[in-house]
């Protein structure tokens, strides 16, 4: 299971690789993780701390893995 934040179009190649390898992932809205970071007393920002906080958020909120959407559903959504 991989947990990552949506980062505009920069996360797209990572997600494409995860889908090709059939690896489950959770794509979080950055505003959700930002609200969680604001609640923390420590304001230190490192990759390790960010990764740890994403994991804590996953276990606290119980997010579901990202579901692949079919082309028909995406077409309907665009209509």
């Amino acid at each position: 299971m991989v947990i990552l934040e949506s980062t505009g179009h920069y996360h797209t190649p990572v997600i494409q690789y995860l889908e090709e390898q059939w690896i489950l992932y959770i794509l979080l809205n950055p505003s959700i993780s930002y609200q969680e970071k604001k609640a923390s007393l420590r304001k230190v920002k490192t990759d390790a701390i960010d990764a740890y906080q994403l994991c804590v958020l996953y276990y606290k909120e119980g997010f579901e893995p990202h579901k692949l959407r079919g082309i028909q559903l995406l077409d309907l959504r665009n209509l």
Side-chain angles (χ1 to χ4, degrees):
M1 176 73 67
V2 177
I3 305 166
L4 62 143
E5 289 180 337
S6 174
T7 55
H9 65 280
Y10 298 106
H11 70 273
T12 306
V14 175
I15 287 183
Q16 184 177 9
Y17 175 78
L18 293 173
E19 289 175 351
E20 288 171 359
Q21 301 300 315
W22 293 91
I23 298 173
L24 294 176
Y25 64 92
I26 296 175
L27 185 63
L28 292 179
N29 186 329
S31 63
I32 294 171
S33 60
Y34 178 73
Q35 292 297 326
E36 186 67 24
K37 289 174 195 172
K38 279 184 19 181
S40 174
L41 294 176
R42 294 185 178 166
K43 301 300 179 194
V44 178
K45 177 133 174 63
T46 66
D47 289 339
I49 290 172
D50 287 348
Y52 177 79
Q53 288 187 346
L54 285 177
C55 291
V56 168
L57 188 61
Y58 166 72
Y59 284 111
K60 191 163 85 172
E61 298 294 330
F63 293 111
E64 295 289 322
H66 188 79
K67 296 182 176 96
L68 294 177
R69 302 185 196 277
I71 191 71
Q72 287 111 356
L73 181 61
L74 294 174
D75 287 343
L76 284 173
R77 188 181 219 184
N78 288 332
L79 288 176

